[in-house]
Amino acid sequence: MKTRRFPVWLSLSLGIVLSLGLSGCVSSTTPGAVGVQRSQLMLVSAGQVSQMAETAFREQNTQAASKGTFVRSGPELDRLKRIANRLIAQTRVYRDDTAQWAWQVVLIDEPVINATCYPGGKITFYTGIIRQLRLTDGEIAAIMGHEIAHALREHGREKISQSMLQQTLAGVAVAVAPDKQREVALANQAATILVQLPYSRHMELEADKMGIELMARAGFDPREAVSMQRKLMAASQGGRTPEFLSTHPAGERRMQDLNELLPLVIPLYERTRQENAAAAAVPRG
Ligand SMILES: [Zn+2]
């Protein structure tokens, strides 16, 4: 049970927040083989962002459960979990704290072409994206790797920091409301920023780079990141823009960027494949 009031920091002016020393320019990850390196402005702690993300994630799941679309078991969910476990095992390449993250994978049975990973490792897939795009395991790994990379790079924390700078995330904490209501309202606001507000072009490129490295290290053919983009582009030609595309524009440029990364990550994929083959060849018992 939470008894603590929701973050006081939101009701503070930015000046006070800055003077408390919560700001900082850091890079949240090591560069990896693809060389992701950029200093990030962070005005909130990772713990505060994780707490908001957890509340938003719980709300999302509660709403899905009330609609009867929250998938509790079955082969599709098992498939997602298997893919997630392989990717999560590789995240330590970029940061050493992910073994302590409370990773979760959920599947929502709605015809939505979308997938997300909240800060702290809360992964959501919709059956719509898997079924309508007929995704292979490698293509699911490409999308999931990309979303995990946003979490590893703490892009959500960066977006919230930017919203604080623009003072668009400040009203809720001062509203008079019971704590629980306030917490949910704040989480909804955070969820809007985390999920609906597009990432910058820099962040997208970082997530593409880190995501393709993660999938390659996990033994998924990184060329499937390119075929996944092609499917997304095809899906957007039917007139309706899939939800995923409203925040992740697909295009020739993006496919070209991914293609250029292949020489860096295919050797990682080949190495993992050889290791897996060697492990499978060892007689058991
Ligand atoms: Zn993205």
Side-chain angles (χ1 to χ4, degrees), residues 26-46:
V26 292
S27 184
S28 50
T29 50
T30 55
V34 291
V36 170
Q37 233 167 346
R38 178 175 58 86
S39 167
Q40 300 167 278
L41 177 70
M42 301 297 196
L43 299 176
V44 289
S45 74

Side-chain angles (χ1 to χ4, degrees), residues 146-147 150 155 199 203-204 207-208 244 247-248 254:
H146 174 101
E147 289 304 310
H150 278 308
H155 288 156
Y199 293 108
M203 296 179 191
E204 285 305 324
D208 275 349
F244 194 77
T247 49
H248 294 85
R254 190 162 201 157

